[in-house]
Amino acid sequence: MRINGSEILINTLIDEGVDIIFGYPGGAVLNIYDAIYKNENRIKHVLSCHEQGAAHAADGYSRATGKVGVCLATSGPGATNLVTGIATAYMDSVPMVAITGNVTTPLLGKDSFQEVDIVGITMPVTKHNFIVRDVEELQQTIRKAFYIAKEGRPGPVLIDIPKDITAKLCEYESKEPIEVKKEYKFVTDKALANFADFINKAKRPLIFAGGGVISSGATEILKELALKINAPVTTSLMAMGAFPGDNELYTGMIGMHGTKASNLLATKADLIIAIGTRFSDRVVGSRDHIKNAKVIQIDIDPAELDKNIKTDANIVGDVKYTLEKLIDLIDEKRNDQWLELMREYKALKGHKEDAENLTPELLFNSLYKDFGEDLVMTTEVGQHQMWAALHYTFLRPRTLITSGGLGTMGYGLGASIGAKLALPHKKVVNIAGDGSFSMNAIELATAVSNRVPVVIIILNNGCLGMVRQWQNFFYESRYSYTTLNRGTDYVKLAEAYGAKGFRVTEPSELNEVLDKAFNSEVPVVIDYVINIDKKVFPMVAPGAPIDDIISEA
């Protein structure tokens, strides 16, 4: 079958199992959009208000499903507007394919109208990228892009397609996706036996799970390991839900805003079993902070082993496969004294209870009580993000969708749209701060026009809360440009977009508003008004030992 490049693109996306594209049209991608129009019964397109919103929606779709998300933009500013979303996906190992148009091949490199070297720009924040200069290479390039996005440690791939390539004719034949074969050559009997020896000798083991547990589908085998050795389990932000949050062994998030239990246990453990995590600076700043423990690590990316924390043993391999091979070599343990210490630490509070006022704790407790079994949560970035991690109980993987590595304000709304379209039967809520929400609030129009009934809850404290908190602790309360004073009426803003808006100022109002919001057929914005001085506790100062905890209680 002889068809043009645009039709090859759409047909190959369908071959790869793509059912939805998030994008924004422009001159360089007109041929592609014409092909989308002709195939609208085979593939859905969601028009964002800004290309960054399209990238975040593709990212949210991917995190919610584990599938490859796809976004599309035109050349020049359209392509550069995707960069923040691509970088967000890269830092959190999210499989995504970003497709950009470009000027025709004869005009490349001539500073043509709306021309940028998007391949050069995105090279540091993609697993790989391509520019297609021959239509004969287009189909195979797309197939390779999807393979690379999924293979090994997942991540984003960019395909840049000049406009003339989208118009040229070429033979096309439908093909199955390239099979992703997992690499197991480093998961040897010797490495597994050495790993098992560390675990079997440990008296105070602590499991530290990262996002790789979710990416590899290893949540069940992780639980089996934890129960077999009776080890407390802590997670990174990316791994919330990888281990059931209501299980007795779960101690919460670790790190700068980790729970007291997780941070203190890390300093008392004699073995830390790090699984699918990279020891970022927001988790453990130095090996000196956990000097009582030996550290063993499993990760699919060899670059992450010994990069931030020197390990005593490590294995390069898929987390699920490695744990399945390891589990039969592990002895059962009781660890009674260790678990008693865990329970003592879990009883410690990092914040003061407040039953009189609107608080983050009240919000997240109410959300869990009413919708916990059926809720997918996205977040923006800031205090509200940390409150969600600390106070909401995540029971299953892929139920917290948040920007961890890059910390992208404005991420959550687009991501919630992608997640809701991927999981229409689930209730999807975006937790926002007023600063983050304002960055990409225009995507509310995307939600309304595409009838995506997400709920946005703005923890409105009238400031850039996390930055202001740092100014309070480390800059003698010099609040330089973090008090917003914008006077935005978020209820009226929601209504202007065609959404519903509610304001909550008293605890007694919350449950009724939540019930109305989650039963709405249109998007809802809830303006949840909290005190400007409300802080995230516990907290560890940057570079400080993780047991040097600043707390409110």
Side-chain angles (χ1 to χ4, degrees):
M1 180 168 62
R2 194 168 175 81
I3 55 178
N4 68 30
S6 297
E7 292 166 327
I8 290 171
L9 170 63
I10 299 305
N11 277 283
T12 308
L13 290 178
I14 293 169
D15 290 343
E16 293 290 331
V18 176
D19 55 5
I20 189 166
I21 305 170
F22 301 90
Y24 201 94
V29 289
L30 278 174
N31 294 327
I32 296 173
Y33 271 86
D34 193 50
I36 291 172
Y37 181 90
K38 294 174 182 175
N39 289 277
E40 59 185 4
N41 62 326
R42 302 171 66 208
I43 193 166
K44 181 180 176 67
H45 178 274
V46 173
L47 175 65
S48 64
C49 291
H50 189 284
E51 290 88 353
Q52 185 178 332
H56 293 329
D59 177 304
Y61 174 94
S62 177
R63 296 194 207 213
T65 61
K67 296 172 63 177
V68 178
V70 178
C71 56
L72 170 63
T74 192
S75 62
T80 57
N81 282 344
L82 289 179
V83 173
T84 297
I86 293 170
T88 300
Y90 180 76
M91 290 290 283
D92 289 342
S93 304
V94 177
M96 187 167 81
V97 170
I99 301 162
T100 54
N102 214 329
V103 299
T104 59
T105 50
L107 293 178
L108 289 171
K110 296 183 179 180
D111 294 331
S112 305
F113 177 68
Q114 290 195 332
E115 179 198 1
V116 296
D117 177 13
I118 195 62
V119 168
I121 289 169
T122 59
M123 194 169 291
V125 293
T126 53
K127 279 189 74 178
H128 197 80
N129 55 27
F130 302 90
I131 181 166
V132 182
R133 297 176 182 269
D134 185 342
V135 71
E136 299 282 347
E137 299 174 356
L138 179 58
Q139 182 181 10
Q140 188 60 14
T141 298
I142 299 164
R143 286 161 48 77
K144 284 181 182 177
F146 276 82
Y147 173 81
I148 293 168
K150 294 181 287 187
E151 180 269 338
R153 179 178 181 171
V157 179
L158 179 131
I159 310 170
D160 193 38
I161 312 175
K163 187 173 183 179
D164 54 322
I165 301 301
T166 67
K168 290 182 178 178
L169 297 177
C170 180
E171 283 295 324
Y172 160 81
E173 179 183 346
S174 178
K175 296 180 180 180
E176 292 292 317
I178 302 171
E179 182 183 357
V180 177
K181 295 181 179 179
K182 295 187 183 296
E183 184 60 71
Y184 303 134
K185 64 181 178 182
F186 297 110
V187 188
T188 64
D189 290 343
K190 182 178 179 181
L192 291 166
N194 185 42
F195 229 70
D197 189 54
F198 275 100
I199 296 173
N200 290 335
K201 289 179 178 178
K203 298 284 193 285
R204 301 183 306 278
L206 175 67
I207 295 173
F208 171 31
V213 172
I214 294 175
S215 295
S216 68
T219 55
E220 288 302 316
I221 190 68
L222 171 67
K223 184 178 178 181
E224 185 179 343
L225 173 66
L227 294 175
K228 188 170 188 178
I229 65 173
N230 267 305
V233 179
T234 183
T235 61
S236 69
L237 179 66
M238 288 292 93
M240 304 296 288
F243 190 82
D246 60 353
N247 189 286
E248 183 197 12
L249 292 174
Y250 185 60
T251 62
M253 187 172 67
I254 191 172
M256 178 177 284
H257 289 294
T259 64
K260 282 187 174 181
S262 293
N263 285 9
L264 292 171
L265 286 168
T267 66
K268 303 298 183 186
D270 63 359
L271 179 70
I272 294 177
I273 309 165
I275 305 174
T277 187
R278 60 188 177 87
F279 284 108
S280 81
D281 60 299
R282 290 295 176 99
V283 171
V284 179
S286 167
R287 181 69 189 261
D288 291 340
H289 301 164
I290 50 172
K291 57 189 174 184
N292 293 319
K294 295 185 182 301
V295 178
I296 58 177
Q297 184 179 8
I298 303 170
D299 203 280
I300 200 166
D301 185 354
E304 296 298 349
L305 300 175
D306 293 327
K307 183 175 83 172
N308 296 323
I309 295 290
K310 179 68 176 174
T311 61
D312 296 280
N314 57 62
I315 297 177
V316 179
D318 175 75
V319 166
K320 183 179 180 182
Y321 176 84
T322 305
L323 290 180
E324 287 173 343
K325 291 293 184 182
L326 182 66
I327 194 73
D328 289 338
L329 305 177
I330 303 299
D331 300 333
E332 291 189 16
K333 294 174 179 286
R334 287 182 57 89
N335 298 325
D336 291 334
Q337 290 183 319
W338 180 229
L339 294 186
E340 183 57 36
L341 182 62
M342 175 198 74
R343 285 187 280 270
E344 289 179 19
Y345 285 161
K346 285 181 71 172
L348 299 174
K349 296 294 183 183
H351 67 280
K352 291 180 180 177
E353 301 292 339
D354 180 359
E356 303 297 322
N357 299 296
L358 284 184
T359 63
E361 299 91 328
L362 172 65
L363 173 64
F364 292 111
N365 288 338
S366 298
L367 285 171
Y368 177 69
K369 179 183 176 182
D370 293 343
F371 310 108
E373 290 294 324
D374 193 36
L375 192 66
V376 174
M377 183 180 294
T378 69
T379 82
E380 307 290 350
V381 171
Q383 287 179 314
H384 56 278
Q385 178 189 35
M386 295 297 101
W387 284 321
L390 286 166
H391 301 302
Y392 191 81
T393 305
F394 294 95
L395 302 175
R396 293 185 296 276
R398 303 193 183 279
T399 52
L400 176 63
I401 297 172
T402 190
S403 172
L406 197 64
T408 306
M409 293 174 69
Y411 166 82
L413 180 51
S416 71
I417 294 169
K420 181 65 177 177
L421 287 167
L423 305 170
H425 58 291
K426 292 288 187 181
K427 297 183 186 299
V428 176
V429 62
N430 178 41
I431 303 298
D434 46 319
S436 282
F437 176 74
S438 297
M439 285 197 166
N440 280 330
I442 195 170
E443 294 305 324
L444 189 55
T446 304
V448 170
S449 60
N450 287 278
R451 302 181 188 87
V452 186
V454 293
V455 176
I456 302 102
I457 304 178
I458 303 170
L459 280 76
N460 183 1
N461 56 8
C463 68
L464 302 178
M466 187 61 83
V467 187
R468 190 178 191 273
Q469 178 167 329
W470 280 44
Q471 288 173 336
N472 176 254
F473 284 138
F474 311 123
Y475 294 87
E476 299 177 336
S477 297
R478 293 187 293 273
Y479 299 126
S480 180
Y481 294 96
T482 50
T483 303
L484 297 176
N485 289 325
R486 286 176 175 155
T488 305
D489 187 326
Y490 293 108
V491 173
K492 290 181 179 178
L493 182 68
E495 292 170 350
Y497 276 118
K500 289 182 180 178
F502 299 98
R503 181 170 292 107
V504 177
T505 58
E506 298 292 338
S508 59
E509 301 168 342
L510 179 58
N511 288 335
E512 182 181 355
V513 168
L514 289 178
D515 184 62
K516 289 179 179 178
F518 283 100
N519 285 291
S520 172
E521 295 182 358
V522 299
V524 173
V525 174
I526 299 173
D527 184 10
Y528 187 84
V529 182
I530 62 173
N531 190 289
I532 192 171
D533 290 316
K534 181 68 175 174
K535 295 180 177 61
V536 180
F537 291 108
M539 179 179 180
V540 176
I546 61 170
D547 60 347
D548 185 4
I549 299 169
I550 304 168
S551 64
E552 189 178 36

